[in-house]
Amino acid sequence: MDSLPIRRPRRLRRNQITRDLVAETNLVPARMIQPYFVENRSGDRFAIPGMPGINRESPDQLVETIGNDLKLGIRSVMLFGVTDDKSADAHSAYAENNPVVVAAQKLRKEFGDDLLISADVCLCAYTDSGHCGILHGDEIDNDSSLEVLAAMAVRLADAGVDWVGPSDMMDGRVGAIRAALDDEGFARTAILAYTAKYASAYYGPFRDAAESAPQHGDRKSYQMDWRNRREARMEAQLDIDEGADVIMVKPALAYLDIIADLSASADVPVAAYNVSGEYTAAKLLAREGFADERAIVLENLTAITRAGASIILTYHLRDILREKWLTA
């Protein structure tokens, strides 16, 4: 009996044209969101030491930066606020002079509908405790935190934000925000819910950038335990039932299984946040000569996409477009 011919998968790996033709996963910059940090301080841009290439900027400086990024092809942004106005009740989160509110107003006036503006909804940058909710004694008071988060979301929507992104991980916050937005006439404002946000060690550079590290304790009583998988599906269903338009997994690279689970089961888009620690790790490996930056960034983002994410928040987007990494 004649032996069967050898199967030769390498035929479809023979050259770049062939590999591109049969690739199962492709990166699309239009499905990526670039994060920014905006502060209410004057002066020069502040280069964030732990995040090479990323700055904190005033609202006016941010308009200039995003104008340049828009020319590169960045169409979607996520804003995070940095302020010295911190208090027990986090009143600056929903104040008119919140730097994100001011920046969103300026961006909407300058760029109109050419830019999709999303903004983080969380209290960690506005509480004197650095926690994501309001403290009563030593405990995070879930339900009183919902009122402040909802007020913040309404203020952002009124400033022109298209998508609000609750990242606090309080129970019921998506429903509270959806109800408040609808009651105030912002039914068109979408909710990008940080659904499976894990109590991760990958957030260190971000917390320095946003000056939002907890002053005592940690966030394990409200962010998810990184040992858990099934719980993410429960959180996803809760957020969808409460009105989330998009659900998100954060971080991304250590949670590809969660991204895959939610993309297989959810009937809404699944986003993933390629967080600050993941970004800085790639930058440091490249700086020290241990990795090619383009190669490692594209491999990481492709893995996130291959796992099922249809939207990626990543600090790498500007580099990808400026250096033309997807066309090189």
Side-chain angles (χ1 to χ4, degrees):
M1 181 177 178
D2 294 338
S3 61
L4 293 174
I6 297 174
R7 292 288 301 273
R8 298 188 184 277
R10 288 183 57 196
R11 290 187 188 118
L12 299 184
R13 304 173 194 149
R14 183 168 175 264
N15 56 40
Q16 189 64 48
I17 294 175
T18 303
R19 291 191 295 271
D20 288 344
L21 191 64
V22 300
E24 299 174 29
T25 306
N26 290 289
L27 295 177
V28 180
R31 290 176 174 259
M32 299 181 193
I33 299 173
Q34 175 81 30
Y36 300 82
F37 297 93
V38 57
E39 60 184 4
N40 58 1
R41 302 161 186 152
S42 58
D44 295 334
R45 290 178 173 87
F46 176 78
I48 299 166
M51 299 179 69
I54 305 298
N55 299 316
R56 291 202 306 253
E57 305 174 89
S58 71
D60 287 332
Q61 292 166 338
L62 186 69
V63 171
E64 179 184 357
T65 296
I66 289 179
N68 291 330
D69 287 347
L70 193 59
K71 294 173 185 176
L72 290 175
I74 293 175
R75 304 190 301 175
S76 303
V77 303
M78 170 66 81
L79 307 182
F80 295 91
V82 185
T83 180
D84 293 323
D85 189 3
K86 302 176 187 290
S87 62
D89 63 1
H91 62 266
S92 60
Y94 53 89
E96 291 183 1
N97 64 348
N98 177 326
V100 178
V101 171
V102 176
Q105 291 169 334
K106 291 177 178 289
L107 291 169
R108 182 58 68 217
K109 181 178 180 181
E110 184 72 18
F111 303 116
D113 291 334
D114 291 337
L115 186 71
L116 185 141
I117 306 170
S118 53
D120 183 64
V121 176
C122 192
L123 306 185
C124 57
Y126 306 96
T127 56
D128 52 13
S129 68
H131 277 287
C132 303
I134 303 299
L135 280 179
H136 282 185
D138 293 330
E139 298 288 332
I140 304 295
D141 188 281
N142 191 95
D143 293 0
S144 65
S145 300
L146 299 184
E147 298 177 15
V148 184
L149 292 162
M152 181 180 184
V154 168
R155 177 70 73 184
L156 292 168
D158 188 52
V161 168
D162 299 292
W163 290 14
V164 293
S167 64
D168 55 284
M169 290 301 286
M170 298 296 114
D171 294 338
R173 88 271 198 212
V174 172
I177 289 170
R178 182 74 271 160
L181 289 171
D182 291 351
D183 287 347
E184 295 297 326
F186 299 111
R188 294 176 59 186
T189 304
I191 297 177
L192 165 62
Y194 290 60
T195 290
K197 180 177 180 180
Y198 285 85
S200 173
Y202 282 96
Y203 303 147
F206 175 96
R207 290 177 181 173
D208 286 342
E211 298 180 353
S212 62
Q215 298 303 300
H216 59 84
D218 54 40
R219 294 174 176 160
K220 293 181 180 179
S221 71
Y222 44 99
Q223 294 179 357
M224 283 185 59
D225 188 328
W226 39 262
R227 297 172 295 182
N228 293 354
R229 184 174 183 174
R230 289 192 305 269
E231 185 182 9
R233 295 197 291 271
M234 178 188 69
E235 289 281 6
Q237 194 58 58
L238 288 171
D239 284 355
I240 293 168
D241 290 346
E242 291 177 22
D245 299 283
V246 181
I247 57 175
M248 185 156 66
V249 178
K250 179 183 179 184
L253 290 174
Y255 298 90
L256 298 180
D257 57 331
I258 309 302
I259 296 170
D261 286 350
L262 298 192
S263 67
S265 60
D267 58 0
V268 300
V270 175
Y273 200 145
N274 180 215
V275 297
S276 60
E278 298 167 345
Y279 169 83
T280 300
K283 286 286 186 180
L284 294 181
L285 284 168
R287 189 185 73 184
E288 297 301 316
F290 295 126
D292 176 89
E293 185 174 355
R294 173 184 179 272
I296 196 170
V297 168
L298 297 187
E299 182 176 352
N300 286 346
L301 296 182
T302 298
I304 296 166
T305 304
R306 190 180 65 240
S310 55
I311 300 168
I312 302 176
L313 277 74
T314 178
Y315 302 95
H316 293 294
L317 181 53
R318 183 187 296 123
D319 288 339
I320 289 171
L321 293 172
R322 181 174 57 207
E323 304 301 328
K324 297 181 171 58
W325 283 348
L326 291 177
T327 56

